[in-house]
Every structure is written in structure tokens, then in C-alpha cells.
Amino acid sequence: MLKNYFKSAFRSLAKSKLYAAINIIGLSVSLAASVLLLLWVWDELSFDQMHSKGDRIFRASGAIDKEMTKIWSTSAPLAVFGKNELPAVEDACRINTWQETLVDYKGKKFKESVYYVDPSFFSIFDFPLIAGNEKQPFPDKHSIVLSKSLAEKIFGKEEAVGKVVKALEGISFRVSGVIEDIPKNSSIRNDFFIPFDQLNEGRESNPINADWGNFGYDTYFLLKSEVNAKEVGLQLAALHKKNQSSDFFKDLVYLMQPLHKIHLYDPKGDEQGMRQVKIFTLIALVILLIACINYVNLVTARSARRSKEVSVRKVVGANRTHLFLQFLTESLVVFLISMLLSWLFSFLAMPIYNQLSGKEMSFSLFDSRVWALFGAALILVLLMAGIYPAITLSRFNPALGLKGLLPRLGSSGSFRKVLVVLQFTCSVVLIVSTIVIAKQLSFIQNKNLGYDKENILTFGAYNFGKHYAAVRSELENNPSILGVTVSSQGVIDLASATGDIVWEGKPDNMGNFMINQISADRNFLQVLNMRLVEGKGFSGTPADSGYYILNEQAIAQMNIENPVGKTISFHDKPGIIAGVVKDFHFKNMRTAIEPCLIFMNENWGWQAMYVKIKPQQAQQAIAAIETLWKKYNADYDFNYQFMDEAFDNMYKSDMRAGRLFNIFAGIAILLSCLGLFGLVTYTAETKFKEIGIRKTLGASVSNIILLISKDFMKLVGISFILSFPIAWWMMSKWLENYVYRTELHGWVFIAAGLIAFAIAGLTVCGQSLKAAKNNPIKAIRTE
């Protein structure tokens, strides 16, 4: 019996090759697209899930003000005092990630990023040592732990533990342990770990465990079971205020962020990457839904033809159960063929997909999640696209069916109309979303940042900073170079701020006022083309060490009138406001421009260099810099970026997500058109004789096209009315991610409607035109 069901199913598909192809292609493409999208979603949701104590690990973040707009990391003593004085804290670990070092082993040199960590790092997190003592990963502060891949890179096949390398400008360290490579889906990823106590070197007068004012360290707390993390945050804030009594910390609160949420949420718990995860999950479901709608539409539309077949089966003895199983088997066969094709599509698309997404995912038939997806899809297809048509087609009167008097499924076709409206509503929403996302990314790339980013090379200074005057002089004499400047950190993403600033008339309620700080040389504003709105800025004389330049936002918040020439104290050093620079973006577009102060002090470490070059002369300028680089920085590779590229890299994840969204939105739209194509083709077939008669009686091609397409285009029009409010709400929510964002103009919705209408029109009218050009004699010569 089962064999006959499958044999009949294959025969039915062979008889209707076009419709079978539409269903199989649509379903296989939708399954492959859903798998790829959900692989991305699963990868995002898998971050930091590898730790057995993960549900008890929290990262603390210090919110300085009541509005929680100024959120920083923590001070170093917080971990020590929190572990010793709070019963709810089982353990604590600090991580400092800012420094990069040159590692030297027997003349072989490697540039590596350094993580300073407490020994508890290896017990709180599941980063197991595969060599070394787990109970004592750092026997002393001159020990280091390496990842397996870095150990192999430095020592080859030699045993790593016990080997001595030099790092941090010549300090000797002994390898005390090796860990497995940290997974790529970990928020904490590095290969080179140094004891946190190493940061105490040279700080005898201000030991790190007594420095409550420096919020530059990530602190993770392992809490005891069934502890309220929010209450622990309040206790930590009270502990901080107890040890550092200051008005600056009067509103301090420590936000406790679960480890599992660090990747997708901000410290306050607001969604960041999670919004993209939800959007991609929704698109995966929409794509699968559209494919199922296509199947249901074609099955119900062809019900009249199947009615005679079903009637004959009933007359010869088939009961409803037999017929139900027969139609269910057809849906199952379609799904199984589609599933096999989707595997092929997924395997073929995976390399390109990884390149587009920036991930290293793999499609495996041994992945239980993939089988769970296929199982869920099978249930959805059988419920929506199999069981409903099967029950309906198997229950009608066979006598009426044999006479051809049976109405089609969905009575007047209202059921199919609802489904067409639903799938094109989804399509229009996706078109609007695609336009808005593209607009926002374009807005970011083209917005005036308050400085030039074109034709400017940027790179780490290293030893250039120590010989800056000589390097600048030589580079400025090169005809291909227009200017050279240097600063303590990259201007695109400042990460240093202070509350140590005092001015005349500073109100009491601004005790926790924070200002971003950057040390730069006198050419900084000129090379980056920042505009002074008041004052003359740096003078190029020794007096510049006592000059400060503030941005407009700082002057506005500090409420200083006629600021140029006024005295302020910055880090207990009095100085004069020498200029006010027009506001410039020194963080991403998700953050409002904050107060900023520019000063000159080379002792702060000038780490980021900028070289402005003449257009079309980049190669000459790069060659000149490389020549000097080999002289001063021979141990380091010369890695540079153009500033516009560095700026774009800040939004790399947004751009990747935008590209993926466009691709999968396009797939959803094409699937909608594929279903519409099938329906129009079937409608033209059912009206074959009617079209022939009308043409014989004088109907024109345009009359025939209108006859076939008008109902479908009405449905597309209805979908516009439904889709626009949904699209507006969705995109308004998405744009809330950005403080600086594009507008949702009416033309976006009009353009989306016209695009959808044009796509649907080409699909419908193309098939209608083909039907209208058929020879009418061929249609009416036989009955």
C-alpha cells in the first residue's frame, strides 16, 4: 500500500512538471536559506555558552550618573574587596586588554596582544590548561600562559612549558601553562596571558589595588547560587563609595551583566546585536512561510482538476483515509526532494556565506539543530501545505466531481487571495527594510564627521612616538605628504575619559561630570581639518603645554561663556582654553557626541599617527613611511589603514548584516514572485478556452492581459496598505540603535511599493502576455 502511495505521488508530480518544479525549487531554496540564516542566529546565540559556571558569572560595569549614560568598566580594587567582603561573591577576576607587545624567542619576533589576568581567570572560566599546573597557573608574576596555537607558532613542536621569552620591552617571562585555543564564539579571546600583578610594576607610590579612580579594568564576579545579582551590584557600589568618598561617585551604581548576554546586550540589558538576531530569525520564518504559501496556493488552485481524479478513486473503493494518505504522501515526497536539494544548496553556498557573514560556520548533517529545523519545517509543510488540501480534497461528493460541478477549494478563491496578500505584505516590508538599511549605512559613511578621513593614512606609532620630531620633519619634506600628526589614541574611537577637571563656577551638581581626553601634537587639528569656532588653538611654542582645546559640547555642558582665555584645571594642572573646536564624532553613530578636551603632553604616549597624502600619490607616500619604519620599527610589520577604511571597519558587522539582509530579502521576494508566476500560469490555463473565444470575438491583447492580471494586481495593492504601517514600526525600532540616523521619508514607502508593483507586474503581465498571444483556433477547435 505504501509503495503505491509513493508511486502515485511520483506519477502526479510527473504529470504536472511545471507546478512540481515551482514547489520543489521554492521549498528547497527556502529551506537552504532558512538553514543558512539560522546557522548565523545559532552562532550568535552560542556566544559564551561553553562555561559550566556561566549562569553565575557576571561582568560589572560602573554607571557614573543617574541617567546611566556614562557607563565604564571597573576600578582594579573592586575585585579584591568584593571577594573579601561580600558573602555573595565566590570569586572574582580582572582582565586588562589594552596593551600589545613584541614577543622575542631566540631572535624570532612576534607581535601579540596581551591580556593581564588574575590566576582565578582559569578557574572561573572553562579555559582548561592542557599543560601546566591548573591550581597555580602563574607561579610568579614573570610567568605567562599561552594558547596552544600561539605556543606552536613560537616554539614549533618543542615543549612550551619552561621556555623563556622576552616581552613588554625586554622583560623575561617563563611559560607556565598552555590552554586549548579559545573558541571563536567567546567574548573573551586571546592567546597571551600575563599575571595581573605585573601591572603593579613601577607603581610603588600608587599600587593598583588602591587605585579606585581608574575605571580601566574588566571585572568578572562568580556569584554564589541563588544570589540576586542586582543587589550585589548595589553592594559593590557601596563598597566603592566606602573606600573612595567623593561627590564624583555619589550616583555610582554597578550594573551586573550576565556572561551569556554580553555579546548581544549592553550593560543596561538593552538589545544591541539581539535585534539583528530577531530580525534574521523572522526572515528565516518568513522565507519558509512564503514557500508553504506557494504550495498551498497551487494545490488549492488546481483542486478542480484533482476533483475528477479523486472522484474516480472514490468510485473504485478508496475511502477518505486512503485519499488523505495519498495527498499527504505527495506533500512528503515534495518535501523530501526539496530537502535533498537544500542540502546541496547549503553545501555549495557555505564558503560564500562565510565570506559575507565574516564567520567560520559549517553545514553538517550530523548537527542535531539542522535536523530539528528540517523536522519543524516538515511539520509546518505537512500541516499547512499537506493536511489542509488533503482533508478538503478527500471529503467532497464524487458524483459532483465527475460532472465537473465541484467548486474549487477556498470557495471563490478567498483563501488563496488571503495567502497572496500575506506573502506580498511580507515582501513589501522586506523591500522597505532593505531601502532603509541601505540609507542608514550610506548616511553613516557620508556624514560630516567634523574632520577629514579621506587621503589620510593611520597606523600605530611604536618607536615613531619616541622620535616624533625627527620622523615628522623627514616626512613633511616629502612632496607626496601634506601633513603629519600624532595622538595618544585613535580619533575614530576614543576610549579615555576623566572627571578630573575643574573650572570657575563649576556647579555642585556636576561633581561627576566626565570629559573625553586625547593628547595630540600641535598639527592635529590642521592635518585632520578640524575647524576652530573660537580661539587660535595651539601656537607651536612651548606655551602649548598649558593650552587646552575643548569641543562645543564640552563648552555647552560646562556652561562657560566667552571661554577663550579662561582658566581651567585638568588633572590638577591649571591651563588656558586656547580654542573651541567644532564638534566631531570620536565614537560610533550609536553614541551622542560627548565633551572632549585636546591637550599636548607627549608623556601620555603618542601611539596613533596620521599622515595626510596628496591624492594619486599614495604609493610614494607609503614607500617613504616604510623607509623610516625600517629604521625605527624594524621589529614590527608596517600595518596601515586609510582612515576612511578604519571608519568603515567600525560598522563592518552592520554592513555584513545589511548585505545578508538584502540577499535573503531578495530570496523572499523572488519566492513570492515564483508563487505568483505559478498562480498566473494556472489561471491562464484554466481560462484557455475563454481567452480563445474572447480573441475570436475581437478582444485585444491588452484586454486579455487585463482579464488575467487585474485580480492579482488588486491583491498586491492591498498588501501595500497592510505592509506600510508594519514596515514603519519595524524600521523605527531598528533605527533607535543609532543616535545619528536617517529619516523615514514617505518616498521610501512609495519607492518600495513601486518596486513591488513592478516586480509583481512583470511576473503577472509576462505570463498574461504569453497566454494572450496563443492561437485562439487551437483553444476552441475541440471540446
Side-chain angles (χ1 to χ4, degrees), residues 286-529:
V286 165
I287 287 174
L288 199 57
L289 178 65
I290 288 173
C292 290
I293 287 173
N294 290 345
Y295 187 90
V296 171
N297 273 339
L298 288 176
V299 169
T300 56
R302 298 179 64 242
S303 60
R305 288 188 177 182
R306 298 301 298 272
S307 66
K308 291 186 179 181
E309 174 195 337
V310 172
S311 297
V312 171
R313 288 178 179 272
K314 282 192 171 186
V315 169
V316 297
N319 59 34
R320 288 187 63 181
T321 303
H322 295 147
L323 294 168
F324 175 80
L325 291 174
Q326 176 60 56
F327 287 110
L328 208 59
T329 303
E330 287 185 20
S331 296
L332 181 60
V333 168
V334 169
F335 180 85
L336 291 176
I337 295 172
S338 301
M339 186 173 69
L340 291 172
L341 285 174
S342 71
W343 292 350
L344 177 63
F345 295 158
S346 298
F347 275 118
L348 294 176
M350 189 56 69
I352 299 173
Y353 185 56
N354 278 331
Q355 187 177 356
L356 289 170
S357 63
K359 293 182 177 290
E360 295 182 11
M361 300 175 290
S362 61
F363 174 78
S364 172
L365 294 179
F366 298 102
D367 190 337
S368 59
R369 298 172 304 178
V370 172
W371 283 104
L373 171 63
F374 282 129
L378 175 60
I379 294 170
L380 178 63
V381 168
L382 292 181
L383 284 175
M384 183 176 178
I387 292 177
Y388 172 74
I391 292 175
T392 312
L393 284 170
S394 64
R395 73 184 180 186
F396 55 71
N397 188 325
L400 294 176
L402 289 170
K403 293 178 182 179
L405 300 176
L406 186 74
R408 295 172 192 158
L409 263 66
S411 301
S412 62
S414 57
F415 179 69
R416 292 197 306 279
K417 291 177 182 177
V418 169
L419 295 181
V420 170
V421 169
L422 176 60
Q423 67 179 174
F424 263 90
T425 297
C426 293
S427 296
V428 176
V429 169
L430 291 175
I431 292 172
V432 171
S433 303
T434 299
I435 295 173
V436 173
I437 290 172
K439 268 193 75 190
Q440 177 62 21
L441 294 177
S442 176
F443 174 84
I444 290 171
Q445 289 176 305
N446 296 305
K447 191 177 189 308
N448 184 356
L449 301 176
Y451 55 83
D452 286 346
K453 63 180 190 295
E454 286 75 27
N455 300 313
I456 295 180
L457 287 173
T458 179
F459 48 88
Y462 296 101
N463 292 323
F464 272 8
K466 299 175 184 177
H467 305 89
Y468 176 64
V471 170
R472 182 184 64 192
S473 176
E474 188 162 345
L475 289 178
E476 286 179 339
N477 288 330
N478 190 292
S480 63
I481 292 174
L482 297 175
V484 179
T485 190
V486 68
S487 63
S488 57
Q489 55 185 314
V491 69
I492 288 176
D493 191 16
L494 297 190
S496 178
T498 183
D500 196 358
I501 181 170
V502 180
W503 64 94
E504 185 179 350
K506 181 178 181 179
D508 294 337
N509 63 0
M510 292 187 71
N512 55 7
F513 174 77
M514 297 285 289
I515 190 166
N516 292 273
Q517 55 191 352
I518 181 170
S519 172
D521 85 319
R522 58 183 172 81
N523 294 328
F524 187 70
L525 272 62
Q526 178 186 349
V527 172
L528 296 183
N529 197 24

Side-chain angles (χ1 to χ4, degrees), residues 146-156 158 160 178 191:
L146 307 178
S147 71
K148 180 181 177 181
S149 60
L150 181 57
E152 291 175 352
K153 175 181 170 183
I154 296 175
F155 307 113
E158 297 178 23
V178 177
D191 298 301

Side-chain angles (χ1 to χ4, degrees), residues 63-80:
I64 307 297
D65 58 331
K66 288 182 179 179
E67 295 76 19
M68 295 187 183
T69 58
K70 301 167 185 173
I71 299 177
W72 302 90
S73 300
T74 68
S75 58
L78 190 71
V80 178

